[in-house]
Amino acid sequence: MSDKEARAVGASASVQVGEEIYEVSPIGFRQLQEIQREAVRYYKRQYLQTFADNMDLLGNGDGHKLLREKLDEVAKWGIGDLPTRWAHDASQVEVTPKLKSRLVEEFGEIPDTDKGVRALLATALDTEQITVEEVAKLTKTNPRRGQVPYDTWWVTAVYEGMVSLVWSSLHAKHPELTKEDISNWSLAKIAGVAREAERVTTPDLGNM
């Protein structure tokens, strides 16, 4: 994440998961750098996997040669070599019964507050589980969107990224909490806490 994206702008907040209450704190620069490295590793694996899965189309000889070439290529990549992604801001979207029903269909449960629903909606948009056009029909309002660096998108749109962001935010005040613990939470809860961690750590999407 760039210095602008990583700038801490908010105070900590509290979230409840089951019977436990956790303090969501801004994430420090060292932690952000580690998250960035995780995002790079994740993208490299996904990129290489696409070639590994399709080697048979080229034949084993040519396929293995191409995969070796791609391994050499991605070994040199850093965060600046990764593509941008579309990220969404649903903070101005009207929360309607139809929208809630659609999110329940997708996730099985939704947060109790409109703020939480909007956070979950933003994740659904980032992951393309719901389209902007669909939201417009359900709410008569349009979410904002903009191009962001891959790692900024990764922490709120990819499961592994969300877990990493949530753990990094909570770990300082709750050292007993593990990534495995977080992975046992519902996706709706993980997404909501990830958005809250993003909010207290980074500027709004519209300010990027």
Side-chain angles (χ1 to χ4, degrees), residues 76-192:
K76 304 171 185 176
W77 287 356
I79 192 64
D81 298 298
L82 272 53
T84 58
R85 289 285 190 265
W86 285 107
H88 297 80
D89 175 9
S91 61
Q92 303 303 314
V93 171
E94 181 181 356
V95 177
T96 64
K98 288 182 179 180
L99 176 63
K100 289 181 179 180
S101 295
R102 179 66 181 87
L103 289 171
V104 169
E105 288 178 10
E106 197 66 42
F107 294 98
E109 65 173 301
I110 60 173
D112 296 330
T113 65
D114 286 356
K115 177 183 175 182
V117 170
R118 292 186 180 105
L120 185 59
L121 173 61
T123 294
L125 286 162
D126 285 358
T127 56
E128 300 181 349
Q129 292 170 270
I130 296 177
T131 66
V132 171
E133 293 75 19
E134 193 174 2
V135 173
K137 290 179 181 179
L138 294 171
T139 68
K140 307 302 181 184
T141 53
N142 288 294
R144 296 182 296 167
R145 71 172 187 167
Q147 291 277 346
V148 299
Y150 181 88
D151 56 316
T152 302
W153 170 84
W154 183 72
V155 294
T156 54
V158 176
Y159 181 78
E160 290 85 350
M162 287 189 282
V163 170
S164 183
L165 181 68
V166 170
W167 181 82
S168 296
S169 176
L170 302 184
H171 182 69
K173 298 293 179 66
H174 308 278
E176 76 287 352
L177 189 67
T178 67
K179 288 185 178 180
E180 184 177 357
D181 293 332
I182 295 168
S183 69
N184 290 323
W185 298 355
S186 69
L187 179 57
K189 181 60 69 174
I190 293 172

Side-chain angles (χ1 to χ4, degrees), residues 12-31:
S12 61
S14 294
V15 297
Q16 184 167 352
V17 181
E19 300 299 320
E20 299 294 331
I21 296 178
Y22 298 100
E23 186 172 341
V24 182
S25 302
I27 299 170
F29 286 109
R30 288 186 179 180
Q31 293 169 300

